[in-house]
C-alpha cells in the first residue's frame, strides 16, 4: 500500500523523456510508438510544441469542422467559458480523427489528435477573435485596467490501427490576466499593427500585446494558446500507456 507521503512523491512522466516515442508518420513500424497530429494551423501552438522539443515529431492539419456553427450551438447551452472551450477542443480533435478513420491507407501505430481552443472570459462573457477592427477596439477597451481570465481547452483523441476512436484526455487550464489602463492611442496603434485580429480577446501576450499585461497568475502558455506542462503530462501518460501495452 502506498502511504500518503509516498503518493505525494510519485512523479508523472513528461514528454521530455518520451518524445522519442512520437513520430509524424502513421506508418512507422515501432512498438510503443505513436503518431501525433495537431488539429490546428495555429502558429502559436506549433511554436509551443516546437519549444517542447517536438519539432519534426508531429504533423498539423486544420480540422474539418464548422467551428462557427458549433460556437453558436454551444452558446445556446449556456456553458461556463471553461466548459465551452474544452468542448471546442474536443470537437476539433474528434472531427479530424473521424475524417482520417474513414480514409484509405495503412496505419501501423495509433495516432493521437491534439485539439485546443482558447477564449478570453470577462464577467463570464466569452471574447473570441474579433470580427473587425471596431470589435477589436471594443474588446480592448473592455479589458483595459481590469482582470480577466483566459481558458484554454485541450483534448486528445486516439485513433487505433483498426480505426477505433477514443478520448485519451480532455482538460481546461485557466489563468488570470490583469491589463494596464490603455489609452485610445495605445489601442489604435496596437490594432494598426494587425496583431489583434486573429487572437481571442484581441491580444497576443507573446507579441506586442504583452506590453498591455501588468500581471498574470497561472501558466503563461495557457494564455498563449497551449498549456505546456499539462499538455506534456497528459500526452506523456497516453504514450506511456501505449508503451506498457507493447
Amino acid at each position: 500500500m502506498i502511504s500518503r507521503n509516498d503518493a505525494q512523491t510519485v512523479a508523472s512522466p513528461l514528454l521530455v523523456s518520451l518524445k522519442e516515442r512520437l513520430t509524424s508518420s502513421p506508418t512507422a513500424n515501432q512498438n510503443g510508438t505513436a503518431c501525433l497530429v495537431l488539429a490546428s494551423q495555429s502558429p502559436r501552438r506549433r511554436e509551443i510544441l516546437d519549444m517542447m522539443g517536438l519539432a519534426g515529431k508531429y504533423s498539423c492539419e486544420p480540422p474539418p469542422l464548422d467551428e462557427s456553427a458549433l460556437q453558436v450551438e454551444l452558446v445556446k447551452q449556456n456553458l461556463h467559458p471553461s466548459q465551452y472551450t474544452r468542448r471546442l477542443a474536443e470537437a476539433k480533435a474528434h472531427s479530424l480523427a473521424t475524417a482520417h478513420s474513414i480514409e484509405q491507407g495503412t496505419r501501423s501505430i495509433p495516432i493521437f489528435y491534439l485539439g485546443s481552443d482558447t477564449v478570453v472570459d470577462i464577467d463570464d462573457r466569452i471574447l473570441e477573435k474579433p470580427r473587425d477592427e471596431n470589435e477589436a477596439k471594443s474588446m480592448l477597451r473592455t479589458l483595459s485596467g481590469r482582470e480577466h481570465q483566459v481558458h484554454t481547452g485541450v483534448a486528445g483523441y486516439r485513433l487505433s490501427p483498426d480505426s477505433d476512436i477514443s478520448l485519451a484526455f480532455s482538460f481546461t487550464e485557466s489563468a488570470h490576466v490583469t491589463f494596464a489602463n490603455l489609452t485610445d492611442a495605445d489601442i489604435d496603434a496596437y490594432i494598426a499593427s494587425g496583431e489583434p485580429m486573429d487572437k481571442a480577446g484581441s491580444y497576443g501576450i507573446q507579441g506586442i500585446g504583452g506590453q498591455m499585461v501588468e500581471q498574470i497568475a497561472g501558466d503563461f502558455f495557457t494564455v498563449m494558446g497551449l498549456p505546456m506542462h499539462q499538455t506534456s503530462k497528459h500526452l506523456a501518460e497516453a504514450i506511456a500507456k501505449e508503451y506498457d501495452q507493447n
Side-chain angles (χ1 to χ4, degrees):
M1 176 184 248
I2 298 176
S3 70
R4 181 178 177 184
N5 288 338
D6 290 337
Q8 290 176 343
T9 64
V10 175
S12 297
L14 297 173
L15 275 179
V16 65
S17 60
L18 294 174
K19 69 176 184 178
E20 296 308 317
R21 296 199 168 275
L22 278 179
T23 177
S24 60
S25 171
T27 59
N29 190 19
Q30 297 173 298
N31 287 338
T33 301
C35 180
L36 177 62
V37 179
L38 175 63
S40 171
Q41 292 282 46
S42 166
R44 294 170 293 283
R45 294 188 177 111
R46 295 200 304 269
E47 181 181 356
I48 293 171
L49 289 180
D50 289 349
M51 290 170 68
M52 292 167 65
L54 300 181
K57 295 288 186 178
Y58 68 94
S59 60
C60 54
E61 184 177 336
L65 178 71
D66 186 343
E67 190 171 339
S68 296
L70 180 57
Q71 287 171 340
V72 170
E73 184 61 33
L74 292 177
V75 166
K76 292 178 182 177
Q77 297 178 28
N78 198 29
L79 299 172
H80 186 273
S82 62
Q83 297 174 302
Y84 171 92
T85 193
R86 179 175 55 81
R87 291 278 294 275
L88 277 170
E90 290 174 354
K92 290 177 183 181
H94 186 265
S95 66
L96 189 56
T98 300
H100 284 187
S101 71
I102 60 177
E103 291 178 356
Q104 297 297 323
T106 301
R107 289 186 297 273
S108 55
I109 58 174
I111 305 174
F112 286 97
Y113 294 86
L114 183 65
S116 186
D117 185 79
T118 301
V119 297
V120 168
D121 164 18
I122 187 162
D123 302 328
D124 289 332
R125 173 189 168 199
I126 295 172
L127 303 185
E128 298 272 11
K129 298 174 184 177
R131 288 169 290 190
D132 52 39
E133 291 187 356
N134 286 333
E135 187 171 39
K137 181 177 291 189
S138 176
M139 287 183 184
L140 291 169
R141 283 176 172 166
T142 298
L143 298 175
S144 176
R146 298 186 60 191
E147 180 184 292
H148 62 272
Q149 287 185 284
V150 177
H151 307 289
T152 294
V154 182
Y157 273 87
R158 179 185 184 272
L159 175 63
S160 72
D162 56 1
S163 296
D164 288 332
I165 300 173
S166 59
L167 179 65
F169 57 83
S170 175
F171 65 91
T172 301
E173 191 79 0
S174 301
H176 293 261
V177 180
T178 303
F179 257 35
N181 289 304
L182 305 177
T183 67
D184 284 343
D186 291 331
I187 292 174
D188 290 342
Y190 184 49
I191 291 173
S193 76
E195 185 178 272
M197 303 314 297
D198 66 339
K199 295 172 179 63
S202 300
Y203 77 95
I205 195 171
Q206 73 284 357
I208 300 169
Q211 300 174 62
M212 302 183 295
V213 175
E214 279 190 345
Q215 184 176 333
I216 175 173
D219 180 8
F220 171 89
F221 295 103
T222 293
V223 186
M224 187 172 169
L226 187 67
M228 185 185 288
H229 171 71
Q230 289 296 333
T231 300
S232 175
K233 176 183 173 183
H234 283 83
L235 269 175
E237 288 175 350
I239 294 166
K241 191 178 296 184
E242 295 293 333
Y243 176 67
D244 291 342
Q245 292 173 353
N246 287 276

